[in-house]
Amino acid sequence: MPTARQAIKKWFREHPKTFCPVVGQPICRHNGCDNATLRSDPRCNIALKSAMAERARAANDARPWLADVRLSADGRRYILNFSFDRLTLQDFRNVIPASDRAYDEENHEWNVERRHWGPLNSIFANFSEWDLELGRLRRVNTR
């Protein structure tokens, strides 16, 4: 069984880009989490991503897991990173109306209106944990 770090590294291999909060943009998968300068920055969230992957795997849930969840700048949309397989995308598109979702081809991310919390939680094994962590981070940052 792979470790959380291996699961994250697999995510980077399979997914060409993911968001890095240190540089504020998608970065090349070949430098991302192996770049010591980026990893030493306090904004680096690989530990959080690894913890979320580990929790999803420990739950032994057959549903796909999210590698990253963020809120849009205006706070009205979730920005999701997950492995795209045909069945997951089919479920995702069936439960989230096209008007409430958008795909960012450059970043390989989905944007979804926050009011779809329930369907997102039913599709993804660790969505509620990500949402709780986002809420905790917002409270810490507003103090």
Side-chain angles (χ1 to χ4, degrees), residues 23-127:
V23 296
Q25 62 187 25
I27 57 174
C28 175
R29 64 188 162 107
H30 301 294
N31 294 336
C33 292
D34 293 326
N35 186 323
T37 305
L38 295 179
R39 290 289 304 276
S40 66
D41 190 292
R43 294 170 294 172
C44 177
N45 66 359
I46 190 63
L48 173 60
K49 289 181 182 183
S50 296
M52 291 299 184
E54 185 67 37
R55 289 180 195 168
R57 198 176 71 242
N60 203 17
D61 194 328
R63 295 176 295 166
W65 55 276
L66 292 160
D68 191 14
V69 178
R70 301 183 317 280
L71 288 178
S72 61
D74 63 7
R76 295 182 342 182
R77 298 173 75 82
Y78 290 112
I79 302 170
L80 311 171
N81 261 317
F82 58 93
S83 296
F84 302 154
D85 64 52
R86 187 178 55 78
L87 293 176
T88 302
L89 282 176
Q90 184 178 356
D91 288 347
F92 182 78
R93 289 178 173 146
N94 284 339
V95 298
I96 309 294
S99 59
D100 293 345
R101 62 179 154 80
Y103 181 67
D104 180 356
E105 291 210 23
E106 181 181 342
N107 298 335
H108 300 272
E109 297 175 321
W110 284 95
N111 294 287
V112 178
E113 293 288 328
R114 285 183 68 190
R115 62 191 171 97
H116 294 290
W117 188 96
L120 291 172
N121 192 44
S122 68
I123 294 172
F124 298 105
N126 61 344
F127 179 78

